[in-house]
Amino acid sequence: PGLLAQECFPVAIAQVCIAACKKVGVTFDAAIDAGGGPGRSAFEFVKQFKHTESYDYSQGFIDSLEKHKGQFLDADQVSRLVAYQGDAHKQSEIAKRPHYNLILGCNLIDRLTNPASWVKQCVEQMAPEDGVFVVSSPYTWKREHADPEVWIGGKMKDGKPYHTQDGLVDLVHEY
């Protein structure tokens, strides 16, 4: 079964990210969970990375993360996890570090009014020596979130289906 058959999707996606980092030999220095909700993926990252950040647009999610982190983490791990409310469109302004070895955006990209701006920030914030950038989403591009002109995928381009994966590859190569 796929990741959706998992008991806890945020843990499963964190395990996929960590495995990818190990596979390509990433330095486990810093990770950021963009739009991390109540932080369950970040709880897994901080067990592996020296520094982990998680932010979400919803202060309620950040409050939940702060309330529950002691249930999942020991004192050292709690001290290495930074959580804050923030807008993914301003990630480079709100992030606590200039570079990350892992950037995860889960259920985020298709909810942004300017997804390409966030991708550009992520590419710029990848650690220059190594890094993994993971985007996980149902890719339900909707007009209520962004004008179709700025969608990274889920549309036709040059008369052919243009999927989000195509758009992400194009953007990452562009930046």
Side-chain angles (χ1 to χ4, degrees), residues 3 20-21 24 41 48 52 60 123 126-127 146 151 154 162-164 170:
L3 286 176
C21 288
V24 299
S41 293
Q48 301 288 325
T52 298
V123 170
M126 290 301 304
W151 292 356
Y162 189 69
H163 302 284
T164 303
D170 288 348

Side-chain angles (χ1 to χ4, degrees), residues 1-2 4 14 26-27 29 31 38 54 63 65-66 80 86 93 102 108 113 115 118 133 162-163 169:
L4 294 177
V26 165
T27 305
D29 185 39
S54 181
D63 294 344
L65 181 155
E66 293 292 347
R80 294 183 290 108
E93 297 171 32
L102 170 64
L108 174 69
T113 57
W118 176 71
F133 176 33
Y162 189 69
H163 302 284
V169 168

Side-chain angles (χ1 to χ4, degrees), residues 39-139:
R40 193 62 182 90
S41 293
F43 293 164
E44 298 304 307
F45 294 155
V46 78
K47 294 173 185 175
Q48 301 288 325
F49 287 83
K50 294 176 189 171
H51 174 84
T52 298
E53 293 175 33
S54 181
Y55 73 86
D56 197 275
Y57 194 74
S58 166
Q59 183 62 48
F61 279 147
I62 299 306
D63 294 344
S64 179
L65 181 155
E66 293 292 347
K67 178 180 177 182
H68 295 102
K69 65 185 175 183
Q71 295 173 322
F72 296 94
L73 306 174
D74 64 31
D76 175 62
Q77 293 163 342
V78 167
S79 73
R80 294 183 290 108
L81 174 61
V82 178
Y84 46 93
Q85 189 278 331
D87 183 345
H89 295 97
K90 299 178 181 179
Q91 180 173 293
S92 61
E93 297 171 32
I94 63 172
K96 308 303 180 199
R97 292 186 170 208
H99 297 105
Y100 297 88
N101 306 95
L102 170 64
I103 298 174
L104 169 64
C106 191
N107 297 328
L108 174 69
I109 196 166
D110 55 349
R111 301 294 184 261
L112 299 174
T113 57
N114 188 346
S117 170
W118 176 71
V119 170
K120 180 181 182 190
Q121 291 175 76
C122 290
V123 170
E124 291 171 349
Q125 289 181 296
M126 290 301 304
E129 65 282 354
D130 62 4
V132 171
F133 176 33
V134 177
V135 176
S136 174
S137 171
Y139 306 114

Side-chain angles (χ1 to χ4, degrees), residues 3-15 40-41 44 72:
L3 286 176
L4 294 177
Q6 301 299 315
E7 186 173 312
C8 183
F9 179 79
V11 171
I13 195 69
Q15 290 169 344
R40 193 62 182 90
S41 293
E44 298 304 307
F72 296 94

